[in-house]
Amino acid sequence: MTTLAKSIRSFTPVVAGGQGFTHRAMVVAALVGVITVVPRGWSIALDAMSEAYLAVAVFVAGTLAMVSYAERGLKIDLGIWLDQHRQWQVPVATLLGAFPGCGGAIIAVTQYTRGYLSFGAVVATLIATMGDAMFLLLAREPQTALGVLAVSIAIGTATGFIIDRVHGADFLRPDAGDKAADTSSTGDVRPEKSAKGADVVWLLLVIPGAVIGVLMAFQYEVDDLLHSWTGLELVHWLGVAGALLAVAMWASAGESRFTCNTNEGICEQASLSTLQKVIDTTNFVTTWVVLAFVGYELLIAVAEIDLAEVFTVWAPLIPALAVLIGFIPGCGPQILVTSLYLSGSVPLSAQLGNAIANDGDALFPALAIAPKAAVAATLYSAIPAVVVAYGWYAFIEQGAM
């Protein structure tokens, strides 16, 4: 069993009497209430849910599945390996963050909460990650994307080592419990159980969702193509269905994934297959991302904010604004900055600053699991973001004028 899935589930413990289910249901009920009172709330929310599923959830599921099945096949545990090779923690975390999308960064953050990754490695991960905006940049300007990626990896690695020297590996780490509990024999691989019920439906949605998500990330208008053939918004509704199923499974997981002795009032986690662990962890991340996406879009709609207009300011302030927007959790604002760069509306210095400062959707579960560390890591990422952005602006862009 990977330490990743254990750390996610340890954040949402289930106690006897179904309190875990009750608390989760209250979160869902609160979301429904907010959506209902906002004008056009359901239309906005359904669009945000679809985007959250196809732009984030399917990539998280794919990344978790690859790591989990690789660990199972190789009979290793990533967390234990990192703990045994501490000198490689920062470089490995940086490479995890450099993967397009946010799955790799989410893995790094959760390994930190279990005590297998240093705080500096978390900072390195968040500096290296560009989230889904990297897909857009790769599709339109692959050479620029590789350059931005190289800068982010170099800066992330260097900053991570410096942070560890200053603060130490355990800075702001939440109580991780006993690591020994996670170091059981990774060679003892149990037979996989067959997927059942909701798990099967989950798979039927996530497999085509992953294919569509990749195509959409590279700017293929899949929904328009299918709509012209069928007259239906199949991609939109697949995303909505996937998001709703993930949230519903997360809300009910307290009872379905645990076995309880009602006489003694004790609940223990049921033995789960690798697939079920991937599903549970993905559902947790998806729920937080859905909450954030819907909340963000409702706020933008109510406040009538146009981020594109924010950049119509004095030129020297543009890199700073790009860095500030990088603090906003989620990939939507970051994709906007990349789109503005590709259209020529903002310079490369702004793109570099935003790429280093932004944490994409990885910040949502990070805030849920280790909020103090997530905030501190995000603030630390601003330092190299400002230095690189204004260094490029002063020496390259101003020098060319």
Side-chain angles (χ1 to χ4, degrees):
M1 166 59 196
T2 65
T3 53
L4 167 64
K6 286 182 180 178
S7 63
I8 291 290
R9 285 197 301 279
S10 68
F11 173 74
T12 54
V14 178
V15 294
Q19 294 180 16
F21 170 76
T22 302
H23 293 160
R24 297 178 185 196
M26 289 174 62
V27 172
V28 176
L31 176 64
V32 171
V34 172
I35 294 171
T36 302
V37 300
V38 173
R40 295 182 58 251
W42 279 106
S43 175
I44 295 170
L46 292 177
D47 286 342
M49 289 179 191
S50 183
E51 181 183 358
Y53 186 75
L54 295 172
V56 181
V58 294
F59 293 107
V60 171
T63 304
L64 294 178
M66 286 190 293
V67 172
S68 297
Y69 281 102
E71 287 182 324
R72 178 180 174 83
L74 297 173
K75 298 182 181 180
I76 64 171
D77 186 291
L78 178 60
I80 297 174
W81 186 91
L82 288 169
D83 195 40
Q84 294 173 343
H85 301 82
R86 293 179 177 271
Q87 71 274 21
W88 292 104
Q89 288 187 4
V90 170
V92 169
T94 306
L95 292 177
L96 283 171
F99 278 115
C102 300
I106 291 170
I107 289 174
V109 170
T110 50
Q111 295 290 6
Y112 161 76
T113 66
R114 296 303 295 173
Y116 293 113
L117 209 59
S118 68
F119 177 73
V122 173
V123 176
T125 297
L126 297 183
I127 287 175
T129 190
M130 194 175 159
D132 296 333
M134 177 54 71
F135 287 111
L136 176 59
L137 198 57
L138 279 170
R140 297 281 296 278
E141 289 190 12
Q143 290 183 330
T144 302
L146 293 176
V148 170
L149 197 59
V151 170
S152 297
I153 290 173
I155 295 297
T157 302
T159 305
F161 280 124
I162 293 171
I163 294 295
D164 278 345
R165 289 292 299 271
V166 173
H167 290 297
D170 296 322
F171 183 64
L172 295 179
R173 191 192 309 277
D175 183 12
D178 185 5
K179 286 197 294 185
D182 289 339
T183 59
S184 57
S185 174
T186 55
D188 181 16
V189 180
R190 299 179 180 180
E192 287 290 280
K193 298 179 180 179
S194 300
K196 297 179 181 179
D199 294 342
V200 174
V201 179
W202 190 93
L203 279 173
L204 292 175
L205 291 173
V206 81
I207 292 173
V211 175
I212 293 170
V214 171
L215 292 173
M216 290 177 61
F218 284 101
Q219 305 304 298
Y220 288 96
E221 299 295 339
V222 184
D223 210 2
D224 292 345
L225 177 62
L226 294 180
H227 186 272
S228 66
W229 290 351
T230 65
L232 302 173
E233 296 180 336
L234 295 178
V235 171
H236 169 78
W237 290 111
L238 184 146
V240 170
L244 290 176
L245 178 62
V247 173
M249 291 177 71
W250 172 81
S252 62
E255 294 180 351
S256 65
R257 296 302 200 203
F258 285 74
T259 56
C260 298
N261 185 325
T262 55
N263 294 327
E264 298 181 9
I266 298 175
C267 289
E268 294 183 352
Q269 190 176 347
S271 177
L272 303 181
S273 68
T274 303
L275 174 61
Q276 289 171 327
K277 295 165 188 173
V278 170
I279 290 174
D280 276 8
T281 308
T282 302
N283 289 343
F284 168 84
V285 174
T286 301
T287 300
W288 278 94
V289 172
V290 165
L291 290 170
F293 268 49
V294 172
Y296 172 79
E297 292 298 338
L298 291 176
L299 175 64
I300 292 296
V302 171
E304 297 182 350
I305 299 173
D306 186 351
L307 288 178
E309 293 184 359
V310 173
F311 283 96
T312 58
V313 296
W314 186 42
L317 289 179
I318 292 178
L321 286 174
V323 171
L324 288 175
I325 288 176
F327 289 164
I328 301 174
C331 288
Q334 324 313 334
I335 290 174
L336 173 62
V337 173
T338 300
S339 299
L340 291 173
Y341 163 72
L342 292 171
S343 68
S345 300
V346 300
L348 182 57
S349 57
Q351 176 66 80
L352 284 167
N354 179 263
I356 294 172
N358 98 67
D359 305 327
D361 299 308
L363 193 58
F364 295 132
L367 287 168
I369 299 169
K372 292 181 180 179
V375 172
T378 298
L379 293 176
Y380 266 123
S381 70
I383 299 173
V386 170
V387 171
V388 172
Y390 277 99
W392 188 273
Y393 176 80
F395 294 107
I396 305 299
E397 292 171 354
Q398 289 296 301
M401 291 182 179

